[in-house]
Amino acid sequence: MSSCSSRALTILSTVFGACGLLLVGVAVSTDYWLIMVEGIILQQNQSMEVKMALHSGLWRVCFVAGAENGRCVASEYFIEPEVEITTENTANILKMVRTATPFPMVSLLFVFTAFVISNIGHIRPQRTILAFVSGIFFILSGLSLVVGLVLYISSINDEVMNRPREPEHFFNYHYGWSFAFAASSFLLKEGAGVMSVYLFMKRYAEEEMYRPHPALYRPRLSESSDYSGQFLHPESTWPPPKRGRSTSEVSSDISIQLNQTPPPPPTPVPPPRYHTHMHMSASPC
């Protein structure tokens, strides 16, 4: 059951990561984040005349109605655009959304790194740490993307609220499918990150379960372990070869023998001989 769940997590994290990478890549490279329509209301027949309609992305703006119909221009980050925008508020909206551009790019870089690390970890599951690292990158990618989406929405809402209310003008905007792809990518990347971290926890638990206890690696304390080891290694010879005796063992045996041998009896020493010389003296008679 554990192997099946690990395999399912591996497949799901790979699919979620690939889909998240694909969606954020399409969202960053397309021009349908925001769609705006601007015009006037004719009082005679209460009809609307479209003055300008456009769809914009992170890199360029394409006009679909008005004087610039059919023209796409790059978003200028350092100089003013070359085209005339109908109102100043519309131009401000296109300027303010540029502050959110770096975050989707960072998110794309993070999710690509996470996808590569995740695949390497699936190919080499013994490197358990790779699943954890890929999960962290997936989560960071999702957080970076959601920060960019929040900045994008807030900048547009601020400019729309500051727009003057004129009864003869109308302004309409909504988010396109590129924005929807980016939002969906956030959910997929967060799901892939959570599953990768959970997969790391399962692999780590399995490694701890099958890892031998450290007591099995204790060193041999006596020579009797040589004989018990013969049952673990049948290819080894029996009886085991005798080990050579070290110098300390030989010296200890000699000292034991000297202590156990009784000392020889002492040799009796003969008493010294004394020679008496008697001198005969003549009598005075």
Coordinates of all heavy atoms in Angstrom, one line a residue, residues 38-39 49-54 62-73 82-86:
E38 N -13.7 51.1 -24.7 CA -14.0 52.5 -24.3 C -14.7 53.2 -25.5 O -14.3 53.0 -26.7 CB -12.7 53.2 -24.0 CG -12.8 54.6 -23.4 CD -11.5 55.2 -22.9 OE1 -10.5 54.5 -23.0 OE2 -11.5 56.3 -22.5
G39 N -15.7 54.0 -25.2 CA -16.5 54.7 -26.2 C -17.4 55.7 -25.7 O -17.2 56.1 -24.5
E49 N -20.9 54.0 -29.4 CA -19.9 54.0 -30.4 C -18.6 53.7 -29.7 O -18.1 54.4 -28.8 CB -19.9 55.4 -31.1 CG -18.8 55.5 -32.2 CD -18.8 56.9 -32.8 OE1 -19.6 57.7 -32.4 OE2 -17.9 57.1 -33.6
V50 N -17.9 52.6 -30.2 CA -16.7 52.2 -29.6 C -15.5 53.1 -30.2 O -15.3 53.2 -31.4 CB -16.4 50.7 -29.9 CG1 -15.0 50.3 -29.4 CG2 -17.5 49.9 -29.3
K51 N -14.8 53.7 -29.3 CA -13.7 54.6 -29.7 C -12.4 53.8 -29.7 O -11.5 54.0 -30.5 CB -13.6 55.8 -28.8 CG -14.7 56.8 -28.9 CD -14.7 57.4 -30.3 CE -15.8 58.5 -30.5 NZ -15.7 59.1 -31.8
M52 N -12.3 52.9 -28.8 CA -11.0 52.1 -28.6 C -11.3 50.8 -27.9 O -12.1 50.7 -27.0 CB -10.0 52.9 -27.8 CG -8.6 52.2 -27.7 SD -7.5 52.9 -26.5 CE -8.4 52.6 -25.0
A53 N -10.7 49.7 -28.4 CA -10.8 48.4 -27.8 C -9.4 47.8 -27.9 O -8.8 47.8 -29.0 CB -11.9 47.6 -28.4
L54 N -9.0 47.2 -26.9 CA -7.6 46.6 -26.9 C -7.6 45.4 -25.9 O -8.4 45.2 -25.0 CB -6.6 47.6 -26.5 CG -6.7 48.3 -25.1 CD1 -6.0 47.5 -24.0 CD2 -6.1 49.7 -25.2
C62 N -2.4 45.2 -28.0 CA -3.0 45.0 -29.3 C -4.3 45.7 -29.4 O -5.2 45.5 -28.5 CB -3.1 43.6 -29.7 SG -1.5 42.7 -29.8
F63 N -4.5 46.6 -30.4 CA -5.8 47.3 -30.6 C -6.6 46.5 -31.6 O -6.2 46.1 -32.6 CB -5.5 48.7 -31.1 CG -4.7 49.6 -30.1 CD1 -3.3 49.6 -30.2 CD2 -5.4 50.3 -29.2 CE1 -2.6 50.3 -29.3 CE2 -4.6 51.1 -28.3 CZ -3.3 51.1 -28.3
V64 N -7.9 46.4 -31.2 CA -8.9 45.7 -32.1 C -10.0 46.6 -32.6 O -10.9 46.2 -33.3 CB -9.5 44.5 -31.3 CG1 -8.4 43.5 -31.0 CG2 -10.2 45.0 -30.0
A65 N -10.0 47.9 -32.2 CA -11.0 48.8 -32.7 C -10.4 50.2 -32.5 O -9.5 50.5 -31.7 CB -12.3 48.7 -31.9
G66 N -11.0 51.2 -33.2 CA -10.6 52.6 -33.1 C -9.6 52.9 -34.2 O -9.4 52.2 -35.2
A67 N -8.9 54.0 -34.0 CA -7.9 54.5 -34.9 C -6.7 53.6 -35.1 O -6.1 53.6 -36.2 CB -7.5 56.0 -34.5
E68 N -6.3 52.9 -34.0 CA -5.2 52.0 -34.1 C -5.6 50.6 -34.3 O -4.8 49.6 -33.9 CB -4.4 52.1 -32.8 CG -3.9 53.5 -32.5 CD -2.8 54.0 -33.4 OE1 -2.1 53.1 -34.0 OE2 -2.5 55.2 -33.4
N69 N -6.7 50.3 -34.9 CA -7.2 49.0 -35.1 C -6.2 48.1 -35.9 O -5.6 48.5 -36.9 CB -8.5 49.0 -35.9 CG -9.2 47.6 -36.0 OD1 -8.8 46.7 -35.3 ND2 -10.1 47.5 -36.9
G70 N -5.9 46.9 -35.3 CA -5.0 45.9 -36.0 C -3.5 46.2 -35.7 O -2.7 45.5 -36.3
R71 N -3.2 47.1 -34.8 CA -1.8 47.4 -34.5 C -1.5 46.8 -33.1 O -2.3 47.0 -32.2 CB -1.6 48.9 -34.5 CG -0.1 49.3 -34.3 CD 0.0 50.8 -34.4 NE 1.4 51.2 -34.1 CZ 1.8 52.4 -34.1 NH1 1.0 53.4 -34.2 NH2 3.1 52.7 -33.8
C72 N -0.3 46.3 -33.0 CA 0.2 45.8 -31.7 C 1.5 46.5 -31.4 O 2.4 46.5 -32.3 CB 0.5 44.3 -31.7 SG -1.1 43.3 -31.8
V73 N 1.7 47.0 -30.3 CA 2.9 47.8 -29.9 C 3.4 47.1 -28.6 O 2.7 46.6 -27.8 CB 2.6 49.3 -29.7 CG1 2.2 49.9 -31.0 CG2 1.5 49.5 -28.6
E82 N 4.3 55.2 -28.4 CA 4.2 56.0 -29.6 C 2.7 56.2 -30.1 O 2.5 56.9 -31.0 CB 5.0 55.3 -30.7 CG 6.5 55.1 -30.4 CD 7.2 54.4 -31.5 OE1 6.5 54.0 -32.4 OE2 8.4 54.3 -31.4
V83 N 1.8 55.5 -29.5 CA 0.4 55.6 -29.9 C -0.4 56.5 -29.0 O 0.0 56.7 -27.8 CB -0.3 54.2 -30.0 CG1 0.4 53.3 -31.0 CG2 -0.3 53.5 -28.7
E84 N -1.5 57.0 -29.5 CA -2.3 57.9 -28.7 C -3.4 57.0 -28.1 O -4.2 56.3 -28.8 CB -3.0 59.0 -29.6 CG -1.9 60.0 -30.1 CD -1.4 60.9 -29.1 OE1 -2.1 61.0 -28.0 OE2 -0.2 61.3 -29.2
I85 N -3.5 57.1 -26.8 CA -4.6 56.5 -26.0 C -5.8 57.4 -25.9 O -5.6 58.7 -25.7 CB -4.1 56.0 -24.7 CG1 -2.8 55.1 -24.8 CG2 -5.1 55.2 -23.9 CD1 -3.0 53.9 -25.6
T86 N -7.0 56.9 -25.9 CA -8.2 57.8 -25.9 C -8.2 58.6 -24.6 O -8.4 59.8 -24.7 CB -9.4 56.9 -25.9 OG1 -9.3 56.1 -27.1 CG2 -10.7 57.8 -26.0

